[in-house]
Amino acid sequence: DAGVTQSPTHLIKTRGQQVTLRCSPKSGHDTVSWYQQALGQGPQFIFQYYEEEERQRGNFPDRFSGHQFPNYSSELNVNALLLGDSALYLCASSATMTGNNGYTFGSGTRLTVV
Amino acid sequence: QKEVEQDPGPLSVPEGAIVSLNCTYSNSAFQYFMWYRQYSRKGPELLMYTYSSGNKEDGRFTAQVDKSSKYISLFIRDSQPSDSATYLCAMTGGTNAGKSTFGDGTTLTVKP
């Protein structure tokens, strides 16, 4: 049973560019959340998608946007990249919107902005 | 001040030791509490989740929640070198339903 799959695993972008990260949730999960994890810190909530709509959003600027497809997979888009956007981007899926029973995380996409 | 505080360590123990990992929090609306383990260059892996106050045991792991003190703990018995990782606490509930708030993690090394 495949868990959460993220692509690409690593990415190097230049300041000002745009990036798209992709996620396929665990089988049976319909809710996808995205988190940003800076080095030495815990994951920070970006947003959550359920039924193809953004349901919750954390304290991130609107340069961060997303999408969920009918097959529950999701994309995270970041525009006008800043050096501070360098981080590990984690996709997490759950069987419920609340996530009260925890998430299944992917291995992440390591984004480096130069 | 962060909503969830976690001692970053690092924590180093000999194999077989009992390990205690802790988090404190400030938001009384949190009702669901999770512990994740994260190996280097990997995503977090859910170890345990609990609801409200009380204890929960799963093999060598025991999670405790004291809502009156806003304090949660994870105990690892008979620690193994394979337990060496970063441990993250997370919590959700109330208006935060759907978005977990994480601590910054405690790095644990278990020496053979």
Side-chain angles (χ1 to χ4, degrees):
Chain A
D1 179 23
V4 176
T5 304
Q6 290 188 244
S7 63
T9 55
H10 296 86
L11 206 51
I12 299 176
K13 289 287 188 178
T14 304
R15 269 184 308 173
Q17 284 189 316
Q18 178 263 346
V19 68
T20 297
L21 310 181
R22 295 177 175 82
C23 170
S24 293
K26 180 179 178 178
S27 178
H29 287 183
D30 58 7
T31 302
V32 173
S33 301
W34 287 91
Y35 284 80
Q36 180 195 66
Q37 187 176 24
L39 199 61
Q41 296 184 19
Q44 298 291 314
F45 175 77
I46 302 175
F47 42 54
Q48 178 198 62
Y49 276 85
Y50 173 71
E51 291 188 339
E52 303 178 49
E53 290 188 14
E54 183 182 294
R55 300 290 179 166
Q56 290 265 21
R57 189 177 183 93
N59 295 324
F60 280 81
D62 56 12
R63 297 188 296 111
F64 290 77
S65 64
H67 190 77
Q68 186 180 34
F69 299 94
N71 67 352
Y72 309 124
S73 67
S74 177
E75 289 182 348
L76 164 65
N77 301 292
V78 187
N79 294 324
L81 284 166
L82 304 173
L83 295 179
D85 295 331
S86 296
L88 180 68
Y89 287 85
L90 295 163
C91 175
S93 71
S94 58
T96 65
M97 273 185 62
T98 60
N100 292 338
N101 297 341
Y103 298 117
T104 300
F105 279 90
S107 292
T109 294
R110 174 76 59 186
L111 173 64
T112 302
V113 182
V114 297
Chain B
Q1 186 180 0
K2 292 188 174 184
E3 277 190 296
V4 179
E5 298 280 357
Q6 187 172 4
D7 185 344
L11 187 60
S12 181
V13 301
E15 183 175 354
I18 297 175
V19 176
S20 173
L21 304 166
N22 311 295
C23 287
T24 59
Y25 63 95
S26 57
N27 189 340
S28 57
F30 289 143
Q31 296 177 291
Y32 297 87
F33 304 91
M34 285 73 75
W35 285 96
Y36 292 84
R37 176 175 62 197
Q38 185 172 25
Y39 293 114
S40 181
R41 300 183 177 277
K42 295 290 186 182
E45 171 194 5
L46 180 66
L47 289 174
M48 300 182 72
Y49 65 90
T50 56
Y51 169 69
S52 195
S53 289
N55 295 356
K56 185 175 182 179
E57 186 174 321
D58 184 0
R60 296 185 295 112
F61 298 90
T62 299
Q64 286 187 353
V65 174
D66 182 350
K67 289 193 69 180
S68 63
S69 301
K70 296 188 178 68
Y71 188 88
I72 71 171
S73 300
L74 178 71
F75 297 95
I76 307 174
R77 292 183 299 280
D78 187 25
S79 56
Q80 302 295 310
S82 59
D83 294 329
S84 299
T86 296
Y87 289 80
L88 297 157
C89 64
M91 43 201 82
T92 188
T95 57
N96 291 294
K99 46 183 178 180
S100 288
T101 302
F102 284 78
D104 285 338
T106 299
T107 301
L108 170 68
T109 300
V110 181
K111 296 185 176 181

